[in-house]
Amino acid sequence: MTSSLPYKTKQFFFVLIKLSIVVGAFYFIYNKIVNNNDISFSTFIDFLLKNESFSIKNVAFLILLSVFNWFFEILKWQHLVGFVKKINFKNALEQSLGALTASLITPNRIGDYGAKAIYYSTKYRKRIILINLLSNLLQMSATLIFGAIGFSFFIIEYDPNLNYYKLTRFLVIALLIISLIGFGITKKNFTIKGFSIEKIKKFLYGYPKTKLLLGFMFSIMRYAVFSFQFYFLLRLFDVEISYLNSMIVITSIYLLASIIPSIFVFDVIIKGSIAVYLFAYLGISEFIILSVVTIMWILNFVLPSFFGSYYVLNFNLPKNSDPT
């Protein structure tokens, strides 16, 4: 249908789509921050302005931690995608932040897969989607490993009032679903949205293990940065807590939040609810925890999405060549 449209008309619609993505992302960010039922935006701002701990030096350090957070994510993407197509750090930066903005309002940031793939010509796109899946699985692995350790210590230390019957039932159902999916995948004629399982397995088995290992190390470094940033914010709010005790709770928060499906823009609500519940065992104020979660969301997703909007607006579809 679009092939019959004049070039200028197609360009107009393309620009309109890019503007819609940016405007839509900014609207949802604005709506989430201003119309947050859990924490009043005006009270939140007044509290920050009156808190002397948020000096220019401390704010600069928080922003620096966010820069390192995305620095490791960009390095990971550059490194992993290099197996298919070599790109430089600037290309990886553009793709990572541009995809963040474009996928901000999609469920569980599922739009990130298509947003990154569209930077490449058609012959690369399926492999780019698979590499993006690998990247996310590596980050999830770090979250699950540290989260399982942290949550185990949390249960031992604080003995939370959990419904172990429901928890066991959930785990059994989850294992059954995974087993059924695994059984279906073993069928050679099984396909997922045009992806042949045999080709996927061949690609994954052939992917260099050294690249996966380095990608996992980048995931761990990123995890260490944003979990420390959470702890640093707690200290800025004058919360008396040791680093070890805070990590037990923080890793548990990211573990539980990662296994709950959500529309990404409401991720801050889910993390906030879980954080409030877990930190209540340490007697920490609900307002402080919600403030910390909100600041983390602003620093690590809202702020980068502003830079990502520049790349979205300046994006052009690849022609015969790919990023170099």
Side-chain angles (χ1 to χ4, degrees):
M1 291 176 65
T2 56
S3 59
S4 62
L5 294 174
Y7 174 77
K8 288 187 177 180
T9 304
K10 288 191 287 186
Q11 286 295 102
F12 171 77
F13 280 115
F14 188 53
V15 171
L16 189 61
I17 291 170
K18 293 192 291 185
L19 284 173
S20 298
I21 291 172
V22 173
V23 171
F26 285 177
Y27 171 75
F28 276 101
I29 290 170
Y30 168 82
N31 188 57
K32 181 66 213 88
I33 293 176
V34 175
N35 300 319
N36 192 335
N37 294 324
D38 294 321
I39 182 171
S40 169
F41 182 67
S42 58
T43 305
F44 171 68
I45 294 298
D46 288 340
F47 184 78
L48 292 183
L49 293 175
K50 292 176 182 177
N51 193 324
E52 296 180 357
S53 297
F54 285 87
S55 61
I56 295 176
K57 179 181 177 181
N58 286 333
V59 170
F61 182 64
L62 285 170
I63 293 175
L64 181 64
L65 289 173
S66 294
V67 170
F68 273 108
N69 176 15
W70 277 96
F71 174 73
F72 289 126
E73 175 64 19
I74 293 164
L75 274 182
K76 180 173 69 171
W77 179 245
Q78 180 190 9
H79 174 75
L80 292 177
V81 83
F83 176 62
V84 169
K85 182 71 178 180
K86 298 291 183 183
I87 61 172
N88 57 36
F89 185 83
K90 182 181 177 183
N91 295 142
L93 171 69
E94 177 182 353
Q95 293 168 24
S96 298
L97 296 188
L100 168 67
T101 303
S103 65
L104 197 62
I105 61 174
T106 58
N108 291 312
R109 280 190 62 205
I110 193 71
D112 182 73
Y113 290 92
K116 279 181 178 171
I118 205 171
Y119 278 94
Y120 297 83
S121 58
T122 306
K123 65 178 181 178
Y124 291 111
R125 287 177 182 169
K126 287 186 178 180
R127 285 176 288 172
I128 295 300
I129 290 173
L130 291 176
I131 290 173
N132 201 4
L133 176 62
L134 280 176
S135 177
N136 291 331
L137 288 175
L138 290 174
Q139 195 65 54
M140 177 64 79
S141 298
T143 301
L144 293 177
I145 291 170
F146 290 109
I149 295 171
F151 194 52
S152 298
F153 278 105
F154 183 85
I155 292 174
I156 295 170
E157 184 71 21
Y158 300 105
D159 190 24
N161 184 22
L162 298 175
N163 189 322
Y164 291 100
Y165 171 74
K166 288 186 177 180
L167 182 61
T168 303
R169 188 174 62 179
F170 170 79
L171 291 175
V172 169
I173 293 173
L175 286 173
L176 286 174
I177 293 173
I178 293 171
S179 299
L180 289 172
I181 293 173
F183 177 75
I185 286 175
T186 57
K187 301 298 181 181
K188 290 187 177 182
N189 59 346
F190 188 82
T191 59
I192 303 175
K193 293 290 184 180
F195 286 85
S196 165
I197 292 301
E198 283 300 310
K199 290 183 178 179
I200 291 175
K201 287 165 63 177
K202 183 179 179 181
F203 176 81
L204 295 179
Y205 289 147
Y207 195 88
K209 303 303 181 286
T210 53
K211 282 188 173 292
L212 288 177
L213 180 60
L214 187 55
F216 183 60
M217 294 304 298
F218 283 135
S219 297
I220 291 176
M221 285 186 272
R222 187 186 182 200
Y223 188 92
V225 169
F226 63 68
S227 58
F228 174 77
Q229 188 180 42
F230 198 116
Y231 167 74
F232 185 72
L233 280 166
L234 289 173
R235 298 296 295 158
L236 288 184
F237 280 103
D238 297 322
V239 174
E240 294 296 331
I241 185 173
S242 68
Y243 180 72
L244 181 59
N245 285 337
S246 69
M247 285 301 106
I248 289 174
V249 183
I250 292 168
T251 54
S252 299
I253 291 169
Y254 284 113
L255 170 67
L256 296 177
S258 66
I259 61 178
I260 299 176
S262 64
I263 296 177
F264 186 71
V265 74
F266 300 120
D267 181 58
V268 65
I269 297 176
I270 292 173
K271 280 194 176 74
S273 300
I274 295 171
V276 167
Y277 174 75
L278 295 182
F279 273 110
Y281 285 91
L282 282 70
I284 300 175
S285 163
E286 177 180 338
F287 180 80
I288 288 177
I289 298 304
L290 289 174
S291 296
V292 169
V293 172
T294 301
I295 294 171
M296 287 286 294
W297 184 66
I298 291 172
L299 286 172
N300 293 299
F301 294 101
V302 175
L303 187 60
S305 70
F306 278 100
F307 293 97
S309 64
Y310 168 81
Y311 295 116
V312 171
L313 293 174
N314 287 277
F315 171 77
N316 290 304
L317 287 169
K319 296 180 181 179
N320 296 322
S321 60
D322 292 278
T324 56

